[in-house]
Amino acid sequence: MQEHLLAAGVETEIRVLPDSARTAAEAAAAIDCDVAAIANSLVSSPTAAPSSS
């Protein structure tokens, strides 16, 4: 995902949450920000393998 964003000229930081965040509100709480700051940037990949770290 990062390489595609960079190719599109988007510089950003990708964060992988240590726990599940099923809603924008849960994700915002996990990284201590306002829901509006992340609600349009949630990405889900049904083919991605869970991280083992």
Side-chain angles (χ1 to χ4, degrees):
M1 180 62 67
Q2 183 74 45
E3 66 186 68
H4 296 289
L5 290 169
L6 288 173
V10 178
E11 292 187 31
T12 189
E13 176 186 354
I14 294 178
R15 292 185 183 181
V16 178
L17 302 178
D19 295 314
S20 176
R22 296 177 188 222
T23 66
E26 288 179 7
I31 62 170
D32 194 31
C33 76
D34 188 66
V35 173
I38 63 161
N40 290 326
S41 62
L42 297 176
V43 177
S44 175
S45 177
T47 59
S51 174
S52 61
S53 52

